[in-house]
């Protein structure tokens, strides 16, 4: 039985992952902005076997409250051993290209708010000498592409931060899991045309759950994205510039 703080608990991937945690009897501290959704999800998870479900309404960008949030979760659950960060937004690349304000907002939500939460979570786990930090980053952070480089830059920042945390916290017995989904069919991507490379949230959730349980540090989901991104990362720049990716 784990005691888990989930940031962005109403996202489609987080909901599917929380259902698997509930089946394990885990204690869950769910944080998101939508109170009605949280209450509905909480009731569903209790029926599925969650040992305890507590909900808190908070905007992830309210970074001044992150330290208190970690303490609140630990007190409410009687301890805290897992942090799952699942919040984020998919910015409009064209809008970001035209507006620094839009770019900054995307970076604040997809990178800076996560780094803030990780700073407080990492200090908590390091002090107690154990714990698991799992963060949904993205394959988009593996190489900047013209179609989504603002989103990709934020995810690259998160992935690099997690690399450093993993290196720092190894001696403390804390596991840091970087989750890199490819295309996922969620409300956030509802306007996109879907193809063979697209996965359902339930499939990604199974990989996240397995990574947390087994303490696998790098998790591409579905698995084939590891090899797709290996190819994209190794394309020479002269060729990469000529592709419309």
């Amino acid at each position: 039985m784990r005691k888990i703080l989930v940031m962005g608990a109403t996202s489609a991937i987080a909901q599917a992952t929380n259902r698997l945690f509930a089946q394990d009897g885990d204690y869950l501290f769910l944080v998101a902005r939508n109170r009605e959704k949280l209450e509905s999800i909480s009731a569903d998870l209790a029926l599925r076997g969650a040992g305890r479900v507590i909900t808190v309404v908070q905007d992830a960008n309210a970074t001044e409250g992150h330290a208190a949030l970690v303490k609140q979760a630990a007190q409410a659950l009687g301890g805290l051993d897992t942090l799952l960060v699942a919040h984020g937004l998919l910015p409009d690349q064209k809008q970001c290209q035209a507006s620094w304000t839009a770019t900054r907002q995307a970076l604040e939500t997809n990178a800076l708010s996560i780094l803030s939460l990780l700073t407080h979570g990492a200090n908590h786990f390091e002090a107690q000498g154990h714990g698991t930090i799992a963060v949904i980053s993205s394959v988009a952070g593996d190489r900047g592409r013209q179609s989504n480089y603002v989103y990709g830059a934020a995810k690259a920042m998160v992935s690099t931060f997690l690399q450093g945390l993993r290196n720092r916290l190894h001696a403390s017995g804390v596991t840091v899991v970087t989750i890199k989904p490819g295309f996922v069919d969620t409300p956030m991507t509802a306007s996109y045309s879907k193809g063979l490379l697209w996965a359902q949230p339930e499939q990604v959730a199974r990989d996240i759950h397995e990574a947390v349980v087994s303490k696998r540090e790098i998790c591409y989901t579905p698995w084939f994205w590891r090899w797709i991104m290996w190819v994209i990362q190794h394309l020479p720049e002269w060729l990469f510039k000529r592709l419309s990716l």
Side-chain angles (χ1 to χ4, degrees), residues 1 7 37 48 88 99 111 121 165 187 203-204 208 217 224 243:
M1 182 269 293
M7 195 72 174
K37 267 191 174 182
R48 291 175 185 270
S99 165
L165 271 187
Q203 182 179 2
V204 172
I208 294 173
E217 295 174 337
F224 51 77
L243 301 177

Side-chain angles (χ1 to χ4, degrees), residues 183-235:
F183 302 137
V184 186
D185 186 4
T186 68
M188 196 166 70
T189 58
S191 63
Y192 286 65
S193 298
K194 309 301 188 297
L196 291 175
L197 295 179
W198 285 74
Q200 294 300 312
E202 291 75 14
Q203 182 179 2
V204 172
R206 286 194 292 274
D207 287 340
I208 294 173
H209 180 263
E210 190 276 334
V212 170
V213 171
S214 66
K215 301 185 184 299
R216 181 154 52 99
E217 295 174 337
I218 306 293
C219 173
Y220 282 86
T221 175
W223 61 270
F224 51 77
W225 280 100
R226 174 184 293 276
W227 306 111
I228 291 174
M229 295 315 299
W230 186 90
V231 172
I232 290 176
Q233 285 176 302
H234 287 82
L235 287 174

Side-chain angles (χ1 to χ4, degrees), residues 12-165:
I13 294 175
Q15 287 187 56
T17 307
N18 287 335
R19 288 195 285 271
L20 299 176
F21 288 145
Q23 291 171 13
D24 293 339
D26 292 341
Y27 286 18
L28 299 167
F29 188 94
L30 309 180
V31 184
R33 292 180 298 177
N34 189 314
R35 184 182 303 278
E36 290 184 359
K37 267 191 174 182
L38 277 173
E39 290 175 353
S40 173
I41 291 168
S42 173
D44 176 68
L45 294 174
L47 290 174
R48 291 175 185 270
R52 183 181 300 174
V53 185
I54 296 166
T55 62
V56 168
V57 177
Q58 184 165 321
D59 189 326
N61 287 321
T63 56
E64 67 278 5
H66 285 178
L69 191 68
V70 171
K71 290 180 181 177
Q72 184 183 357
Q75 290 173 354
L77 298 179
L80 184 66
D81 53 45
T82 305
L83 168 63
L84 173 62
V85 182
H87 72 272
L89 59 84
L90 188 60
D92 185 309
Q93 174 64 30
K94 296 291 185 185
Q95 186 181 5
C96 289
Q97 289 172 199
S99 165
W100 167 243
T101 299
T103 296
R104 185 173 62 187
Q105 181 181 10
L107 294 175
E108 286 177 351
T109 299
N110 290 325
L112 298 181
S113 68
I114 295 174
L115 269 51
S116 166
L117 189 61
L118 290 177
T119 297
H120 298 294
N123 290 340
H124 174 87
F125 290 137
E126 185 176 44
Q128 71 181 13
H130 66 89
T132 298
I133 296 171
V135 182
I136 299 178
S137 184
S138 171
V139 298
D142 282 7
R143 189 165 189 178
R145 296 179 293 121
Q146 61 178 293
S147 60
N148 70 346
Y149 63 80
V150 173
Y151 181 73
K155 293 301 185 179
M157 190 188 304
V158 170
S159 293
T160 302
F161 194 90
L162 290 169
Q163 283 181 330
L165 271 187

